[in-house]
mmCIF file of all heavy atoms in Angstrom:
data_model
loop_
_atom_site.group_PDB
_atom_site.id
_atom_site.type_symbol
_atom_site.label_atom_id
_atom_site.label_comp_id
_atom_site.label_asym_id
_atom_site.label_seq_id
_atom_site.Cartn_x
_atom_site.Cartn_y
_atom_site.Cartn_z
ATOM 1 N N GLY O 500 -204.103 132.879 9.466
ATOM 2 C CA GLY O 500 -203.517 133.940 8.685
ATOM 3 C C GLY O 500 -202.311 133.478 7.863
ATOM 4 O O GLY O 500 -201.424 134.286 7.561
ATOM 5 N N LEU O 501 -202.287 132.258 7.466
ATOM 6 C CA LEU O 501 -201.089 131.659 6.807
ATOM 7 C C LEU O 501 -200.609 132.460 5.630
ATOM 8 O O LEU O 501 -199.414 132.624 5.404
ATOM 9 C CB LEU O 501 -201.381 130.189 6.382
ATOM 10 C CG LEU O 501 -200.279 129.449 5.733
ATOM 11 C CD1 LEU O 501 -199.102 129.240 6.685
ATOM 12 C CD2 LEU O 501 -200.744 128.085 5.241
ATOM 13 N N ASP O 502 -201.568 132.997 4.825
ATOM 14 C CA ASP O 502 -201.150 133.666 3.611
ATOM 15 C C ASP O 502 -200.516 135.036 3.910
ATOM 16 O O ASP O 502 -199.944 135.664 3.011
ATOM 17 C CB ASP O 502 -202.338 133.819 2.657
ATOM 18 C CG ASP O 502 -203.544 134.477 3.298
ATOM 19 O OD1 ASP O 502 -203.803 134.177 4.488
ATOM 20 O OD2 ASP O 502 -204.243 135.275 2.650
ATOM 21 N N TYR O 503 -200.648 135.503 5.144
ATOM 22 C CA TYR O 503 -200.024 136.775 5.517
ATOM 23 C C TYR O 503 -198.532 136.541 5.873
ATOM 24 O O TYR O 503 -197.826 137.554 6.017
ATOM 25 C CB TYR O 503 -200.688 137.407 6.688
ATOM 26 C CG TYR O 503 -202.182 137.751 6.468
ATOM 27 C CD1 TYR O 503 -203.144 137.400 7.402
ATOM 28 C CD2 TYR O 503 -202.545 138.445 5.347
ATOM 29 C CE1 TYR O 503 -204.468 137.710 7.199
ATOM 30 C CE2 TYR O 503 -203.893 138.743 5.166
ATOM 31 C CZ TYR O 503 -204.853 138.404 6.081
ATOM 32 O OH TYR O 503 -206.145 138.732 5.888
ATOM 33 N N GLY O 504 -198.124 135.339 6.053
ATOM 34 C CA GLY O 504 -196.782 135.062 6.587
ATOM 35 C C GLY O 504 -196.845 134.884 8.038
ATOM 36 O O GLY O 504 -197.235 135.812 8.781
ATOM 37 N N LEU O 505 -196.462 133.720 8.533
ATOM 38 C CA LEU O 505 -196.627 133.432 9.937
ATOM 39 C C LEU O 505 -195.771 134.305 10.851
ATOM 40 O O LEU O 505 -196.100 134.543 11.973
ATOM 41 C CB LEU O 505 -196.315 131.965 10.241
ATOM 42 C CG LEU O 505 -197.362 130.955 9.665
ATOM 43 C CD1 LEU O 505 -196.947 129.530 10.021
ATOM 44 C CD2 LEU O 505 -198.731 131.262 10.220
ATOM 45 N N ASP O 506 -194.685 134.854 10.376
ATOM 46 C CA ASP O 506 -193.859 135.750 11.171
ATOM 47 C C ASP O 506 -194.650 137.019 11.424
ATOM 48 O O ASP O 506 -194.647 137.568 12.560
ATOM 49 C CB ASP O 506 -192.526 136.053 10.486
ATOM 50 C CG ASP O 506 -192.700 136.586 9.087
ATOM 51 O OD1 ASP O 506 -193.772 136.417 8.461
ATOM 52 O OD2 ASP O 506 -191.711 137.139 8.529
ATOM 53 N N ARG O 507 -195.361 137.544 10.438
ATOM 54 C CA ARG O 507 -196.231 138.704 10.617
ATOM 55 C C ARG O 507 -197.386 138.438 11.527
ATOM 56 O O ARG O 507 -197.796 139.266 12.380
ATOM 57 C CB ARG O 507 -196.692 139.229 9.265
ATOM 58 C CG ARG O 507 -195.679 139.780 8.340
ATOM 59 C CD ARG O 507 -196.251 140.275 7.051
ATOM 60 N NE ARG O 507 -197.251 141.336 7.298
ATOM 61 C CZ ARG O 507 -198.323 141.535 6.564
ATOM 62 N NH1 ARG O 507 -198.598 140.729 5.516
ATOM 63 N NH2 ARG O 507 -199.152 142.486 6.842
ATOM 64 N N VAL O 508 -197.983 137.253 11.420
ATOM 65 C CA VAL O 508 -199.054 136.874 12.295
ATOM 66 C C VAL O 508 -198.630 136.816 13.763
ATOM 67 O O VAL O 508 -199.275 137.348 14.642
ATOM 68 C CB VAL O 508 -199.657 135.509 11.865
ATOM 69 C CG1 VAL O 508 -200.647 134.988 12.907
ATOM 70 C CG2 VAL O 508 -200.331 135.620 10.524
ATOM 71 N N VAL O 509 -197.505 136.217 13.978
ATOM 72 C CA VAL O 509 -196.951 136.143 15.330
ATOM 73 C C VAL O 509 -196.773 137.537 15.941
ATOM 74 O O VAL O 509 -197.147 137.786 17.070
ATOM 75 C CB VAL O 509 -195.655 135.327 15.366
ATOM 76 C CG1 VAL O 509 -194.933 135.515 16.712
ATOM 77 C CG2 VAL O 509 -195.905 133.840 15.105
ATOM 78 N N ALA O 510 -196.179 138.405 15.169
ATOM 79 C CA ALA O 510 -195.995 139.775 15.663
ATOM 80 C C ALA O 510 -197.269 140.471 15.934
ATOM 81 O O ALA O 510 -197.395 141.244 16.885
ATOM 82 C CB ALA O 510 -195.167 140.587 14.606
ATOM 83 N N ALA O 511 -198.290 140.232 15.114
ATOM 84 C CA ALA O 511 -199.557 140.941 15.265
ATOM 85 C C ALA O 511 -200.342 140.457 16.473
ATOM 86 O O ALA O 511 -201.017 141.227 17.167
ATOM 87 C CB ALA O 511 -200.399 140.723 14.005
ATOM 88 N N VAL O 512 -200.298 139.161 16.747
ATOM 89 C CA VAL O 512 -201.157 138.612 17.823
ATOM 90 C C VAL O 512 -200.473 138.548 19.197
ATOM 91 O O VAL O 512 -201.104 138.356 20.184
ATOM 92 C CB VAL O 512 -201.697 137.190 17.459
ATOM 93 C CG1 VAL O 512 -202.347 137.238 16.083
ATOM 94 C CG2 VAL O 512 -200.614 136.174 17.510
ATOM 95 N N ALA O 513 -199.181 138.759 19.197
ATOM 96 C CA ALA O 513 -198.381 138.552 20.431
ATOM 97 C C ALA O 513 -198.916 139.329 21.594
ATOM 98 O O ALA O 513 -198.998 138.851 22.721
ATOM 99 C CB ALA O 513 -196.935 138.910 20.170
ATOM 100 N N GLU O 514 -199.337 140.593 21.327
ATOM 101 C CA GLU O 514 -199.840 141.464 22.419
ATOM 102 C C GLU O 514 -201.362 141.552 22.426
ATOM 103 O O GLU O 514 -201.904 142.467 23.090
ATOM 104 C CB GLU O 514 -199.224 142.843 22.285
ATOM 105 C CG GLU O 514 -197.727 142.872 22.286
ATOM 106 C CD GLU O 514 -197.156 142.314 23.563
ATOM 107 O OE1 GLU O 514 -197.748 142.512 24.633
ATOM 108 O OE2 GLU O 514 -196.116 141.629 23.497
ATOM 109 N N ARG O 515 -202.050 140.656 21.790
ATOM 110 C CA ARG O 515 -203.498 140.681 21.667
ATOM 111 C C ARG O 515 -204.057 139.314 22.107
ATOM 112 O O ARG O 515 -204.309 138.467 21.279
ATOM 113 C CB ARG O 515 -203.939 141.084 20.252
ATOM 114 C CG ARG O 515 -203.507 142.451 19.881
ATOM 115 C CD ARG O 515 -203.838 142.792 18.433
ATOM 116 N NE ARG O 515 -203.500 144.166 18.117
ATOM 117 C CZ ARG O 515 -202.300 144.560 17.686
ATOM 118 N NH1 ARG O 515 -201.297 143.605 17.543
ATOM 119 N NH2 ARG O 515 -202.073 145.816 17.438
ATOM 120 N N PRO O 516 -204.243 139.151 23.402
ATOM 121 C CA PRO O 516 -204.668 137.796 23.886
ATOM 122 C C PRO O 516 -206.041 137.381 23.427
ATOM 123 O O PRO O 516 -206.411 136.218 23.560
ATOM 124 C CB PRO O 516 -204.625 137.979 25.426
ATOM 125 C CG PRO O 516 -204.710 139.457 25.629
ATOM 126 C CD PRO O 516 -204.026 140.079 24.478
ATOM 127 N N ASN O 517 -206.854 138.313 22.891
ATOM 128 C CA ASN O 517 -208.158 137.918 22.387
ATOM 129 C C ASN O 517 -208.144 137.333 21.012
ATOM 130 O O ASN O 517 -209.220 136.875 20.483
ATOM 131 C CB ASN O 517 -209.156 139.078 22.459
ATOM 132 C CG ASN O 517 -208.693 140.310 21.687
ATOM 133 O OD1 ASN O 517 -207.516 140.632 21.695
ATOM 134 N ND2 ASN O 517 -209.644 141.018 21.036
ATOM 135 N N ILE O 518 -206.968 137.326 20.312
ATOM 136 C CA ILE O 518 -206.885 136.704 19.031
ATOM 137 C C ILE O 518 -206.386 135.286 19.160
ATOM 138 O O ILE O 518 -205.390 135.008 19.816
ATOM 139 C CB ILE O 518 -205.972 137.455 18.062
ATOM 140 C CG1 ILE O 518 -206.445 138.882 17.842
ATOM 141 C CG2 ILE O 518 -205.858 136.727 16.727
ATOM 142 C CD1 ILE O 518 -205.578 139.665 16.847
ATOM 143 N N HIS O 519 -207.157 134.321 18.601
ATOM 144 C CA HIS O 519 -206.782 132.933 18.605
ATOM 145 C C HIS O 519 -206.573 132.474 17.147
ATOM 146 O O HIS O 519 -207.234 133.037 16.231
ATOM 147 C CB HIS O 519 -207.869 132.077 19.266
ATOM 148 C CG HIS O 519 -208.268 132.582 20.590
ATOM 149 N ND1 HIS O 519 -207.758 132.058 21.759
ATOM 150 C CD2 HIS O 519 -209.120 133.563 20.986
ATOM 151 C CE1 HIS O 519 -208.296 132.673 22.804
ATOM 152 N NE2 HIS O 519 -209.105 133.626 22.376
ATOM 153 N N LEU O 520 -205.669 131.561 16.949
ATOM 154 C CA LEU O 520 -205.365 131.120 15.600
ATOM 155 C C LEU O 520 -206.016 129.801 15.321
ATOM 156 O O LEU O 520 -205.721 128.800 15.943
ATOM 157 C CB LEU O 520 -203.835 130.985 15.449
ATOM 158 C CG LEU O 520 -203.002 132.273 15.730
ATOM 159 C CD1 LEU O 520 -201.521 132.051 15.542
ATOM 160 C CD2 LEU O 520 -203.490 133.394 14.830
ATOM 161 N N ASP O 521 -206.903 129.829 14.339
ATOM 162 C CA ASP O 521 -207.552 128.607 13.842
ATOM 163 C C ASP O 521 -206.598 127.911 12.895
ATOM 164 O O ASP O 521 -206.167 128.484 11.893
ATOM 165 C CB ASP O 521 -208.902 129.025 13.131
ATOM 166 C CG ASP O 521 -209.303 128.062 12.094
ATOM 167 O OD1 ASP O 521 -209.265 126.853 12.367
ATOM 168 O OD2 ASP O 521 -209.661 128.464 10.962
ATOM 169 N N LEU O 522 -206.301 126.640 13.156
ATOM 170 C CA LEU O 522 -205.275 125.932 12.449
ATOM 171 C C LEU O 522 -205.754 125.237 11.187
ATOM 172 O O LEU O 522 -204.973 124.494 10.558
ATOM 173 C CB LEU O 522 -204.606 124.914 13.363
ATOM 174 C CG LEU O 522 -203.759 125.481 14.542
ATOM 175 C CD1 LEU O 522 -203.163 124.382 15.348
ATOM 176 C CD2 LEU O 522 -202.616 126.399 13.999
ATOM 177 N N THR O 523 -206.996 125.453 10.768
ATOM 178 C CA THR O 523 -207.499 124.819 9.595
ATOM 179 C C THR O 523 -206.571 125.175 8.400
ATOM 180 O O THR O 523 -206.374 126.352 8.156
ATOM 181 C CB THR O 523 -208.943 125.262 9.304
ATOM 182 O OG1 THR O 523 -209.763 124.937 10.377
ATOM 183 C CG2 THR O 523 -209.484 124.617 8.042
ATOM 184 N N GLY O 524 -206.161 124.190 7.666
ATOM 185 C CA GLY O 524 -205.308 124.414 6.537
ATOM 186 C C GLY O 524 -203.849 124.351 6.829
ATOM 187 O O GLY O 524 -203.151 123.503 6.267
ATOM 188 N N PRO O 525 -203.353 125.226 7.702
ATOM 189 C CA PRO O 525 -201.934 125.138 8.089
ATOM 190 C C PRO O 525 -201.486 123.789 8.642
ATOM 191 O O PRO O 525 -200.321 123.449 8.634
ATOM 192 C CB PRO O 525 -201.761 126.224 9.146
ATOM 193 C CG PRO O 525 -202.808 127.222 8.751
ATOM 194 C CD PRO O 525 -203.977 126.437 8.269
ATOM 195 N N LEU O 526 -202.461 123.003 9.127
ATOM 196 C CA LEU O 526 -202.122 121.663 9.634
ATOM 197 C C LEU O 526 -201.586 120.768 8.526
ATOM 198 O O LEU O 526 -200.963 119.727 8.773
ATOM 199 C CB LEU O 526 -203.317 120.994 10.304
ATOM 200 C CG LEU O 526 -203.691 121.600 11.677
ATOM 201 C CD1 LEU O 526 -205.028 121.077 12.154
ATOM 202 C CD2 LEU O 526 -202.619 121.245 12.726
ATOM 203 N N SER O 527 -201.816 121.172 7.266
ATOM 204 C CA SER O 527 -201.231 120.374 6.125
ATOM 205 C C SER O 527 -199.825 120.739 5.896
ATOM 206 O O SER O 527 -199.116 120.108 5.069
ATOM 207 C CB SER O 527 -202.050 120.685 4.860
ATOM 208 O OG SER O 527 -203.417 120.379 5.045
ATOM 209 N N TRP O 528 -199.256 121.713 6.572
ATOM 210 C CA TRP O 528 -197.877 122.221 6.353
ATOM 211 C C TRP O 528 -197.012 121.696 7.486
ATOM 212 O O TRP O 528 -197.306 121.901 8.692
ATOM 213 C CB TRP O 528 -197.867 123.719 6.348
ATOM 214 C CG TRP O 528 -198.578 124.353 5.176
ATOM 215 C CD1 TRP O 528 -199.904 124.329 4.975
ATOM 216 C CD2 TRP O 528 -198.018 125.102 4.098
ATOM 217 N NE1 TRP O 528 -200.237 124.976 3.814
ATOM 218 C CE2 TRP O 528 -199.087 125.449 3.219
ATOM 219 C CE3 TRP O 528 -196.710 125.416 3.748
ATOM 220 C CZ2 TRP O 528 -198.885 126.189 2.067
ATOM 221 C CZ3 TRP O 528 -196.508 126.160 2.574
ATOM 222 C CH2 TRP O 528 -197.617 126.501 1.790
ATOM 223 N N GLU O 529 -195.916 121.119 7.144
ATOM 224 C CA GLU O 529 -194.992 120.560 8.166
ATOM 225 C C GLU O 529 -194.377 121.682 8.990
ATOM 226 O O GLU O 529 -193.896 122.709 8.482
ATOM 227 C CB GLU O 529 -193.872 119.745 7.464
ATOM 228 C CG GLU O 529 -192.933 119.102 8.461
ATOM 229 C CD GLU O 529 -191.857 118.235 7.784
ATOM 230 O OE1 GLU O 529 -191.822 118.199 6.497
ATOM 231 O OE2 GLU O 529 -191.079 117.656 8.475
ATOM 232 N N GLY O 530 -194.438 121.483 10.329
ATOM 233 C CA GLY O 530 -193.761 122.379 11.206
ATOM 234 C C GLY O 530 -194.555 123.556 11.706
ATOM 235 O O GLY O 530 -194.112 124.307 12.568
ATOM 236 N N VAL O 531 -195.794 123.766 11.188
ATOM 237 C CA VAL O 531 -196.569 124.887 11.586
ATOM 238 C C VAL O 531 -196.991 124.812 13.082
ATOM 239 O O VAL O 531 -196.887 125.795 13.817
ATOM 240 C CB VAL O 531 -197.788 125.049 10.700
ATOM 241 C CG1 VAL O 531 -198.813 126.050 11.333
ATOM 242 C CG2 VAL O 531 -197.425 125.508 9.291
ATOM 243 N N VAL O 532 -197.447 123.665 13.478
ATOM 244 C CA VAL O 532 -197.858 123.543 14.927
ATOM 245 C C VAL O 532 -196.671 123.813 15.864
ATOM 246 O O VAL O 532 -196.821 124.516 16.823
ATOM 247 C CB VAL O 532 -198.454 122.135 15.189
ATOM 248 C CG1 VAL O 532 -198.766 121.971 16.674
ATOM 249 C CG2 VAL O 532 -199.661 121.922 14.324
ATOM 250 N N GLU O 533 -195.548 123.234 15.518
ATOM 251 C CA GLU O 533 -194.343 123.427 16.360
ATOM 252 C C GLU O 533 -193.972 124.916 16.392
ATOM 253 O O GLU O 533 -193.656 125.465 17.472
ATOM 254 C CB GLU O 533 -193.187 122.614 15.831
ATOM 255 C CG GLU O 533 -193.399 121.082 15.940
ATOM 256 C CD GLU O 533 -194.189 120.451 14.774
ATOM 257 O OE1 GLU O 533 -194.782 121.216 14.002
ATOM 258 O OE2 GLU O 533 -194.168 119.269 14.658
ATOM 259 N N PHE O 534 -193.952 125.543 15.215
ATOM 260 C CA PHE O 534 -193.566 126.994 15.162
ATOM 261 C C PHE O 534 -194.522 127.840 16.016
ATOM 262 O O PHE O 534 -194.065 128.668 16.785
ATOM 263 C CB PHE O 534 -193.542 127.439 13.722
ATOM 264 C CG PHE O 534 -193.274 128.916 13.543
ATOM 265 C CD1 PHE O 534 -191.966 129.409 13.624
ATOM 266 C CD2 PHE O 534 -194.335 129.774 13.305
ATOM 267 C CE1 PHE O 534 -191.761 130.771 13.527
ATOM 268 C CE2 PHE O 534 -194.094 131.143 13.091
ATOM 269 C CZ PHE O 534 -192.830 131.625 13.219
ATOM 270 N N LEU O 535 -195.779 127.699 15.794
ATOM 271 C CA LEU O 535 -196.766 128.551 16.470
ATOM 272 C C LEU O 535 -196.843 128.250 17.984
ATOM 273 O O LEU O 535 -197.029 129.104 18.772
ATOM 274 C CB LEU O 535 -198.165 128.395 15.850
ATOM 275 C CG LEU O 535 -198.279 129.002 14.443
ATOM 276 C CD1 LEU O 535 -199.678 128.709 13.877
ATOM 277 C CD2 LEU O 535 -197.997 130.473 14.419
ATOM 278 N N THR O 536 -196.684 126.981 18.353
ATOM 279 C CA THR O 536 -196.642 126.652 19.727
ATOM 280 C C THR O 536 -195.453 127.308 20.417
ATOM 281 O O THR O 536 -195.575 127.857 21.528
ATOM 282 C CB THR O 536 -196.598 125.120 19.946
ATOM 283 O OG1 THR O 536 -197.720 124.509 19.389
ATOM 284 C CG2 THR O 536 -196.487 124.739 21.437
ATOM 285 N N ARG O 537 -194.304 127.325 19.736
ATOM 286 C CA ARG O 537 -193.125 127.975 20.322
ATOM 287 C C ARG O 537 -193.262 129.479 20.351
ATOM 288 O O ARG O 537 -192.844 130.120 21.358
ATOM 289 C CB ARG O 537 -191.918 127.579 19.456
ATOM 290 C CG ARG O 537 -190.567 128.159 19.983
ATOM 291 C CD ARG O 537 -189.403 127.637 19.147
ATOM 292 N NE ARG O 537 -189.423 128.167 17.747
ATOM 293 C CZ ARG O 537 -189.719 127.443 16.692
ATOM 294 N NH1 ARG O 537 -190.003 126.116 16.791
ATOM 295 N NH2 ARG O 537 -189.706 127.945 15.506
ATOM 296 N N GLU O 538 -193.843 130.090 19.313
ATOM 297 C CA GLU O 538 -193.826 131.516 19.189
ATOM 298 C C GLU O 538 -194.957 132.254 19.886
ATOM 299 O O GLU O 538 -194.798 133.364 20.356
ATOM 300 C CB GLU O 538 -193.841 131.918 17.680
ATOM 301 C CG GLU O 538 -192.592 131.453 16.962
ATOM 302 C CD GLU O 538 -191.302 132.069 17.469
ATOM 303 O OE1 GLU O 538 -191.348 133.240 17.894
ATOM 304 O OE2 GLU O 538 -190.251 131.378 17.440
ATOM 305 N N VAL O 539 -196.150 131.663 19.888
ATOM 306 C CA VAL O 539 -197.313 132.298 20.527
ATOM 307 C C VAL O 539 -197.882 131.495 21.715
ATOM 308 O O VAL O 539 -198.693 132.037 22.503
ATOM 309 C CB VAL O 539 -198.433 132.647 19.540
ATOM 310 C CG1 VAL O 539 -197.884 133.508 18.428
ATOM 311 C CG2 VAL O 539 -199.042 131.408 18.950
ATOM 312 N N GLY O 540 -197.519 130.223 21.791
ATOM 313 C CA GLY O 540 -198.042 129.380 22.874
ATOM 314 C C GLY O 540 -199.179 128.512 22.454
ATOM 315 O O GLY O 540 -200.074 128.972 21.650
ATOM 316 N N ALA O 541 -199.284 127.319 22.952
ATOM 317 C CA ALA O 541 -200.386 126.416 22.611
ATOM 318 C C ALA O 541 -201.695 126.963 23.044
ATOM 319 O O ALA O 541 -202.752 126.603 22.440
ATOM 320 C CB ALA O 541 -200.114 125.047 23.281
ATOM 321 N N GLU O 542 -201.722 127.853 24.058
ATOM 322 C CA GLU O 542 -203.008 128.414 24.576
ATOM 323 C C GLU O 542 -203.726 129.306 23.551
ATOM 324 O O GLU O 542 -204.886 129.571 23.725
ATOM 325 C CB GLU O 542 -202.729 129.190 25.850
ATOM 326 C CG GLU O 542 -202.128 128.417 26.966
ATOM 327 C CD GLU O 542 -200.588 128.275 26.849
ATOM 328 O OE1 GLU O 542 -200.025 128.777 25.886
ATOM 329 O OE2 GLU O 542 -200.061 127.555 27.704
ATOM 330 N N ARG O 543 -203.053 129.669 22.458
ATOM 331 C CA ARG O 543 -203.640 130.562 21.483
ATOM 332 C C ARG O 543 -204.093 129.835 20.217
ATOM 333 O O ARG O 543 -204.551 130.426 19.255
ATOM 334 C CB ARG O 543 -202.631 131.632 21.089
ATOM 335 C CG ARG O 543 -202.010 132.406 22.245
ATOM 336 C CD ARG O 543 -203.006 133.378 22.861
ATOM 337 N NE ARG O 543 -203.302 134.423 21.902
ATOM 338 C CZ ARG O 543 -202.545 135.518 21.701
ATOM 339 N NH1 ARG O 543 -201.393 135.577 22.318
ATOM 340 N NH2 ARG O 543 -202.905 136.383 20.825
ATOM 341 N N LEU O 544 -203.974 128.490 20.231
ATOM 342 C CA LEU O 544 -204.202 127.689 18.983
ATOM 343 C C LEU O 544 -205.484 126.835 19.185
ATOM 344 O O LEU O 544 -205.724 126.278 20.224
ATOM 345 C CB LEU O 544 -203.028 126.785 18.698
ATOM 346 C CG LEU O 544 -201.625 127.472 18.630
ATOM 347 C CD1 LEU O 544 -200.561 126.450 18.359
ATOM 348 C CD2 LEU O 544 -201.610 128.612 17.654
ATOM 349 N N VAL O 545 -206.271 126.760 18.073
ATOM 350 C CA VAL O 545 -207.492 126.000 18.090
ATOM 351 C C VAL O 545 -207.544 125.060 16.891
ATOM 352 O O VAL O 545 -207.268 125.491 15.761
ATOM 353 C CB VAL O 545 -208.692 126.981 18.046
ATOM 354 C CG1 VAL O 545 -210.032 126.209 17.955
ATOM 355 C CG2 VAL O 545 -208.693 127.876 19.278
#
């Protein structure tokens, strides 16, 4: 959901454990993995 703004994505998925974040594309952006691991947890990232 990178184009939605990652802060909005984090807020949306925080209480929805059935949503997982596919990292295709955002892996080209510096700091995305670190930010999402910190904010939603590595368990939600694919």
Side-chain angles (χ1 to χ4, degrees):
L501 180 64
D502 54 321
Y503 298 133
L505 289 181
D506 54 343
R507 293 181 59 212
V508 170
V509 167
V512 308
E514 302 302 323
R515 295 175 177 88
N517 56 323
I518 299 182
H519 307 264
L520 301 181
D521 154 46
L522 292 179
T523 302
L526 286 169
S527 304
W528 294 68
E529 184 177 2
V531 166
V532 176
E533 293 86 345
F534 174 79
L535 290 176
T536 298
R537 181 176 67 251
E538 297 298 325
V539 302
E542 299 82 2
R543 307 287 293 280
L544 309 179
V545 176

